[in-house]
Amino acid sequence: MINQPRRTRQRELIWQALQKQRRFVSSQQVHAWLSKKGHEIGLATVYRSLKSWHESGQLDVIRGADNEMLFRICAGSDHHHHLVCTECGDAFEISSRELEDSIKKIARNKRFRLASHEVEIFGQCENCND
Amino acid sequence: MINQPRRTRQRELIWQALQKQRRFVSSQQVHAWLSKKGHEIGLATVYRSLKSWHESGQLDVIRGADNEMLFRICAGSDHHHHLVCTECGDAFEISSRELEDSIKKIARNKRFRLASHEVEIFGQCENCND
DNA sequence: GTTTGTGCAAATATTTTGCACTTGA
DNA sequence: TCAAGTGCAAAATATTTGCACAAAC
């Protein structure tokens, strides 16, 4: 009935490109990288692929400084946040009981019914903070 | 030498519009609202005003779901995050020692030199969660 | 009178979409 | 076959910028 994803050359290539990266990348970057490798794929196809994978939970997304969407293959399907290195772009998934508890507590204090939350932490990773 | 802000009719009106709002609003919204009130101000002027106030720390900003920047007058100048009601759009500034500590701990565990972080919590406020 | 702000239109930038064509199952 | 995927170009958004003119100090 709905969305039975098909295996196409384009999607294979896009997925492979994502697999090579540990960092978050934009649709534009994926497209440019593939072009450089000689794979002429429509930019719209890249946008559509990343969007649908994100919607089906296979990709994580964060917003870059200039407001663009950056994607990365999502390791676990559990709830988590990200710790991103501002130097090399490397990103780790994090999940902290303590952090979640703090957030719950804040919501409770203000009598909010918690819906969702986003936490993004930026810094320099072990290798980059000389 | 630098940026000595001037008092203009446009800026007065834009600032007043912000003061009437407890929720986060976009440049477009401020502009539309002023237009409706009969104040014909250039959209670019609204963008420029909000941007500069944000840069000077007088406005907070969050990212809307549809990729736009939303601003609000910032109550305190201290470090804080936001608890936003998804129903009425009302937003509270929050600051939690516990939350900050959790974040520091996470960074320390991964041996990151912490640069910055963003936390946004969404839910329904006391009035909206019937 | 000099510097800063404004308005407009054009330029960017990112992402989406309509549509005809192609392809996978 | 035929629904799903693709490419292209155009549209939709959101925001910025160049420039001539106006306003503030």
Side-chain angles (χ1 to χ4, degrees):
Chain A
M1 5 183 327
I2 334 175
N3 204 29
Q4 194 98 34
R6 285 179 187 177
R7 170 166 297 257
T8 65
R9 182 182 66 89
Q10 290 85 339
R11 293 241 247 267
E12 290 290 330
L13 288 165
I14 296 166
W15 188 258
Q16 282 170 28
L18 288 171
Q19 283 185 310
K20 302 218 165 130
Q21 293 288 157
R22 232 182 115 119
R23 64 178 62 194
F24 281 83
V25 290
S26 66
S27 298
Q28 304 271 359
Q29 289 172 319
V30 170
H31 179 255
W33 190 80
L34 288 172
S35 294
K36 208 163 57 183
K37 295 279 175 183
H39 303 297
E40 294 299 339
I41 290 180
L43 179 56
T45 298
V46 179
Y47 271 101
R48 279 189 279 235
S49 298
L50 298 189
K51 188 182 183 190
S52 79
W53 286 329
H54 171 239
E55 282 166 358
S56 67
Q58 293 165 85
L59 296 182
D60 278 337
V61 68
I62 60 174
R63 304 279 180 149
D66 38 350
N67 227 7
E68 90 248 294
M69 302 181 82
L70 303 175
F71 300 89
R72 203 186 62 155
I73 290 175
C74 182
S77 54
D78 295 356
H79 175 78
H80 61 262
H81 299 289
H82 294 99
L83 183 56
V84 183
C85 178
T86 55
E87 295 294 318
C88 66
D90 203 355
F92 299 91
E93 295 189 359
I94 53 175
S95 64
S96 156
R97 182 71 204 292
E98 211 176 299
L99 180 65
E100 300 300 321
D101 286 346
S102 301
I103 287 170
K104 277 184 203 139
K105 193 181 287 184
I106 289 166
R108 202 183 321 125
N109 284 342
K110 293 282 187 183
R111 305 191 194 291
F112 261 61
R113 180 196 293 163
L114 204 54
S116 65
H117 59 272
E118 281 169 33
V119 180
E120 256 152 49
I121 310 180
F122 299 94
Q124 290 90 48
C125 74
E126 196 167 5
N127 298 322
C128 296
N129 70 39
D130 44 68
Chain B
M1 11 181 324
I2 335 175
N3 206 28
Q4 195 96 33
R6 284 177 188 180
R7 170 165 299 256
T8 66
R9 182 182 66 90
Q10 291 85 338
R11 293 241 249 266
E12 290 289 329
L13 288 166
I14 296 167
W15 187 258
Q16 282 169 28
L18 288 171
Q19 283 186 310
K20 302 219 166 131
Q21 293 288 158
R22 232 182 116 121
R23 63 178 64 195
F24 281 83
V25 291
S26 66
S27 298
Q28 304 272 358
Q29 289 172 320
V30 170
H31 179 257
W33 190 80
L34 288 172
S35 293
K36 209 163 55 183
K37 295 278 174 187
H39 302 298
E40 294 297 339
I41 289 181
L43 179 55
T45 298
V46 179
Y47 271 101
R48 280 188 278 235
S49 298
L50 298 190
K51 188 182 184 190
S52 79
W53 286 330
H54 171 238
E55 282 165 359
S56 67
Q58 293 166 85
L59 296 182
D60 279 336
V61 68
I62 61 174
R63 310 272 178 140
D66 39 347
N67 228 8
E68 89 245 293
M69 301 181 82
L70 302 176
F71 300 89
R72 203 187 62 155
I73 291 176
C74 181
S77 55
D78 295 355
H79 175 77
H80 61 261
H81 300 291
H82 294 98
L83 183 55
V84 183
C85 178
T86 55
E87 295 294 318
C88 66
D90 202 355
F92 299 90
E93 293 189 358
I94 53 177
S95 64
S96 155
R97 183 73 203 291
E98 211 176 299
L99 180 65
E100 301 298 321
D101 286 346
S102 302
I103 288 170
K104 276 184 204 140
K105 192 180 288 184
I106 289 166
R108 202 182 321 124
N109 284 343
K110 293 280 188 183
R111 303 190 194 294
F112 261 60
R113 180 196 293 161
L114 205 53
S116 66
H117 59 272
E118 280 170 34
V119 180
E120 257 151 49
I121 309 179
F122 299 94
Q124 290 89 48
C125 74
E126 196 168 4
N127 298 324
C128 296
N129 69 39
D130 43 70

